[in-house]
Amino acid sequence: MTRRLTLTFDNGPMPGVTETVLDVLAERGIATTFFVVGTDLRLPGRRGLLERAKAEGHRIGNHTMTHSVLLGATDDPEAPEHEIEQQQLQLGELASEERFFRPWGNGGLLGPHLLSPAAVDHLERGGYTLVLWNSIPRDWEDATGWPARARADIERQDWTVVVLHDNSPAVQQLAPFLDAVLADGVELRADFPDECVPIRRGVRVGSLDGLVAA
Ligand SMILES: [Zn+2]
């Protein structure tokens, strides 16, 4: 059976890095989604990179305002408004038509720290699509070793949603990684499998078991 792979890039864009990612993807005709942190978006040069990404067919999603608040672990009742809504407003026209939101996982961990009942309610009322993942090759701490772990994940599951980061030297391995998986016959996709998207356009379509604080 054909393996499928959806690439996602978090925590960028970063000048000097994201250009490489966009070039590599364009050369191979691959579309992806960039999940952007609000406090980074305010830094110089970021919006221009996202405009290029959008113009080249990629989608832009929301990766919280500060990347520092675990929505399932904070006792701040304003956290969904600050972390989700304010960043969506800041993305403005850059944001994709489908309102993609990816919570901060503190190292890519899936667990009840990701969301609170109030955050889930906010996503549902706001018509958001909650985008999770099933591959964390830890590119941020191993700039050369991550492709082997990503390829092992692709091998063991039908459809892999990999989290990479376009703010580190790890992207230097992106071109050889993609050429290897393409040579293996892996199908590159822009969309997401149901198992990684428990909420689509505000509608609960999958299980949130273990992902929401009690
Ligand atoms: Zn992140």
Side-chain angles (χ1 to χ4, degrees):
M1 127 152 231
T2 302
R3 302 276 187 235
R4 288 171 282 187
L5 170 65
T6 300
L7 299 172
T8 62
F9 291 89
D10 289 9
N11 301 6
M14 177 168 280
V17 178
T18 302
E19 294 93 332
T20 299
V21 173
L22 291 171
D23 290 346
V24 167
L25 296 175
E27 285 160 10
R28 291 159 183 78
I30 297 167
T32 184
T33 307
F34 290 87
F35 288 93
V36 179
V37 176
T39 45
D40 296 338
L41 182 58
R42 297 173 183 160
L43 301 172
R46 267 52 172 193
R47 290 196 87 91
L49 283 169
L50 291 180
E51 284 163 5
R52 177 183 163 192
K54 184 174 180 178
E56 294 182 0
H58 304 292
R59 301 186 294 184
I60 312 297
N62 178 339
H63 190 35
T64 78
M65 177 58 82
T66 69
H67 207 255
S68 64
V69 175
L70 293 168
L71 291 167
T74 178
D75 54 12
D76 176 5
E78 296 299 314
E81 173 66 23
H82 289 152
E83 291 296 319
I84 303 170
E85 204 62 29
Q86 292 303 312
Q87 167 59 349
Q88 195 68 25
L89 287 169
Q90 183 174 243
L91 281 168
E93 293 288 304
L94 290 169
S96 57
E97 178 271 329
E98 186 168 359
R99 291 153 67 89
F100 295 120
F101 176 74
R102 170 170 278 171
W104 177 52
N106 194 17
L109 300 172
L110 294 170
H113 58 280
L114 282 186
L115 296 165
S116 63
V120 171
D121 188 60
H122 192 98
L123 294 173
E124 291 178 343
R125 286 170 187 268
Y128 285 91
T129 292
L130 173 63
V131 182
L132 302 176
W133 54 84
N134 57 21
S135 175
I136 300 280
R138 307 190 76 82
D139 56 326
W140 68 88
E141 61 184 20
D142 185 356
T144 56
W146 68 264
R149 284 188 293 278
R151 292 183 69 189
D153 287 341
I154 293 165
E155 189 56 38
R156 73 178 166 77
Q157 50 198 6
D158 291 339
W159 190 341
T160 296
V161 177
V162 66
V163 179
L164 299 174
H165 297 82
D166 57 322
N167 65 349
S168 91
V171 303
Q172 296 304 327
Q173 296 302 317
L174 183 62
F177 165 71
L178 288 175
D179 290 341
V181 300
L182 289 166
D184 281 347
V186 174
E187 179 187 359
L188 271 290
R189 304 278 298 221
D191 55 341
F192 306 108
D194 289 346
E195 71 163 279
C196 292
V197 185
I199 300 172
R200 281 195 197 263
R201 297 183 185 271
V203 177
R204 186 89 65 93
V205 293
S207 171
L208 289 172
D209 285 356
L211 302 174
V212 185

